[in-house]
Amino acid sequence: MKSKWTYRPLGELVSFASGGTPSKKRDGYWGGTIPWISAKTLKTENIDTSDLFITEEGLKAGSKIAPKGSILLLTRGSGLFNGIPIAIVEKDVAFNQDIKCLDSYGEVENEFIFYWLLSQKDYLMAKVGVTGIGAGKFDLDFLQKLMIPIPSERERKSIVGFANSISEKIRCNAKVNDNLYAQVKAIFSENFLDLDFLPDGWKTGNLLDIADYLNGLAMQKYRPKDGETGLPVLKIKELRQGICDASSELCSPSIKSEYIIHDGDIIFSWSGSLLVDIWCGGTCGLNQHLFKVTSNNYDKWFYYLWTAHHLDRFIAVAADKATTMGHIKREELEKVEVIIPSKYDYKRIGASIKPLFDLIISNRIEDRKLTALRNTLLPKIMSGEIDVRDIQL
C-alpha cells in the first residue's frame, strides 16, 4: 500500500489564513452572533461555538471567518506547551491571531489532513519554538513544508472513516454526558438550592462536614526507586487536560495509597487555576497543589456537586487577594454552607442522581480509552504500517 503513496508539502494542499481580534474598546464589535475562537476555547476537536461572540462589524474590523469543514490550529501561545490544540470547524466561526485556519484547495480532504496532523502531535510538540515573551510558537514556513502522505482516494476515505468511527463515539459520549450533567444539576438544585425551608431532619454544615480534602505531596521527594515503574504525577496542567501525558513527572508507586488517584476520584485544584473535576485520566500520584476529595459517609455526587456549587465563590476569594495565582486555604472550605439531608431523604435523592453520575464517569473513562486507541493507531495508519481499507465500519 505505502509504496504507491506520494508526498506533498502541506502548503501545497491547504491555504493558511490568520485571524484577528476586534478592538475590545468598541462595544459595537462584541456581543453579536458570530462565535469567536481563541486558545481558551480551542479545547475540543470539533468547534461550533465559543464563550465570546462578535458582530458583523467586529468581523470586518479585525477578524476572519473559518468556514465549516476547515481546520483550526493554534500556532502561538502557552497552550502549545501542553499539547497541539487542533479542531475541525462544525459551523462558521471567527478566530484570533494566535490561530491559523487551514482549508484544502480540493486535492486532499480537510478531514484527512486533520487526522494526519493529529497523528503527528508528538513530532509537532518536539518542534514548538518559543517567542520573545516565552509563549510557544510554530513558524509558518515550518508548517507549510511538512510533508503529507497522499494515499489513493479510496485509502483516504477508509482512513477517515475508521478515525471518524472512533471520534464520533467520543463526541456522542460527550453529548450524552452534557445531557446527564444537566439532569444531575437540575435534581440537585431542586432538592438543595431551591428550598424555601429546611425539612425535618435536615441540617446545615460546611464542606469539611461532608468530605475530607487531602492535600497532595511535593513529589520531588518521592522519585521512583531503582527498578520501579513510576506513576505519572497529576498537576494542575494535567487536570485541565484530563490526562497525564508521557512527559509528566513521575513518582514512586510505593507512596501511601491515599495519595494515589484512580478513575472517578474527585480532584479540587486549590492553587493556580481553581477548578473541581472528576478525574478519569488513569492512575497517578497527587501533587501538592491539589485536593483529593473523599468521604466515608457520603457519595461522590454529593460532595462533588457542593464543591462545584461553591467554586465561583472560591475563585472570587482568590481574585480578591490580588495575586497572580489563585490560592484557597483550607479554612475557606469551612466558610461555605451546605445542606445535609436526613438519611432517608439522602438515599431518596441519591437514587435519582447516583446512577446518572456513575454513567458520566463511565462514559468519560471510555472516551479516554477510545482517544488513546485512536491516537496510538493513527501514526501507524498514516505511515502505511496498518491497512484499514478492508475494515467494515
Side-chain angles (χ1 to χ4, degrees), residues 16-42:
F16 284 79
S18 297
T21 303
S23 173
K24 297 290 182 69
K25 297 179 181 179
R26 297 286 298 273
D27 291 341
Y29 292 168
W30 297 89
T33 60
I34 304 171
W36 182 78
I37 308 299
S38 65
K40 180 182 176 182
T41 46
L42 193 60

Side-chain angles (χ1 to χ4, degrees), residues 123-389:
Y123 172 72
L124 293 174
M125 280 290 294
K127 296 296 183 179
V128 173
V130 181
T131 68
I133 60 172
K137 70 171 183 178
F138 281 126
D139 291 325
L140 180 60
D141 186 60
F142 162 74
L143 293 173
Q144 290 177 328
K145 290 181 178 178
L146 287 170
M147 297 302 290
I148 309 295
I150 306 181
S152 68
E153 183 178 0
R154 180 196 170 196
E155 289 167 330
R156 295 198 305 273
K157 287 183 177 179
S158 296
I159 291 170
V160 168
F162 175 81
N164 271 344
S165 66
I166 299 177
S167 296
E168 184 56 35
K169 175 58 176 173
I170 295 170
R171 289 194 292 271
C172 180
N173 280 350
K175 291 179 180 178
V176 168
N177 274 1
D178 286 344
N179 181 272
L180 291 172
Y181 190 59
Q183 294 180 58
V184 165
K185 286 178 59 178
I187 299 170
F188 180 76
S189 294
E190 179 184 358
N191 285 278
F192 296 104
L193 306 182
D194 301 333
L195 294 177
D196 294 324
F197 61 90
L198 209 60
D200 290 340
W202 291 39
K203 61 183 179 180
T204 59
N206 60 60
L207 287 176
L208 294 184
D209 291 327
I210 63 171
D212 297 315
Y213 290 74
L214 176 70
N215 195 20
L217 302 171
M219 288 300 183
Q220 298 88 338
K221 302 177 182 178
Y222 300 92
R223 304 287 189 189
K225 301 173 183 177
D226 291 342
E228 284 186 335
T229 300
L231 283 177
V233 175
L234 178 61
K235 298 182 181 180
I236 297 170
K237 180 189 78 172
E238 286 81 6
L239 182 62
R240 293 184 68 87
Q241 293 176 185
I243 192 167
C244 290
D245 57 35
S247 64
S248 299
E249 178 185 350
L250 298 178
C251 68
S252 171
S254 60
I255 59 174
K256 290 184 179 180
S257 60
E258 57 261 40
Y259 294 102
I260 296 178
I261 302 167
H262 302 281
D263 286 336
D265 283 342
I266 308 302
I267 307 298
F268 178 28
S269 167
W270 58 266
S271 180
S273 300
L274 272 60
L275 69 151
V276 60
D277 199 7
I278 311 164
W279 177 250
C280 296
T283 305
C284 50
L286 183 67
N287 183 58
Q288 61 184 336
H289 296 294
L290 303 172
F291 286 131
K292 177 181 178 181
V293 192
T294 59
S295 176
N296 293 323
N297 300 313
Y298 299 99
D299 294 307
K300 293 174 183 178
W301 67 265
F302 190 63
Y303 52 83
Y304 170 83
L305 288 167
W306 274 118
T307 306
H309 172 68
H310 288 296
L311 186 62
D312 286 344
R313 179 186 185 278
F314 294 139
I315 292 172
V317 168
D320 286 343
K321 296 179 181 179
T323 60
T324 56
M325 294 285 285
H327 186 88
I328 288 296
K329 294 183 179 180
R330 184 178 295 272
E331 62 199 46
E332 295 294 334
L333 303 174
E334 296 181 89
K335 296 180 181 179
V336 296
E337 184 180 86
V338 304
I339 297 174
I340 303 172
S342 65
K343 289 184 179 180
Y344 172 82
D345 287 323
Y346 176 78
K347 290 182 179 179
R348 174 182 58 80
I349 299 166
S352 298
I353 293 182
K354 188 176 184 301
L356 305 179
F357 199 80
D358 290 345
L359 185 54
I360 290 172
I361 294 173
S362 176
N363 285 340
R364 288 186 58 180
I365 293 171
E366 182 181 42
D367 279 358
R368 185 198 82 227
K369 293 178 178 179
L370 287 171
T371 300
L373 173 65
R374 187 200 63 188
N375 292 349
T376 297
L377 293 177
L378 271 178
K380 297 180 179 181
I381 293 170
M382 291 296 184
S383 69
E385 182 179 342
I386 296 178
D387 185 348
V388 295
R389 285 177 297 177

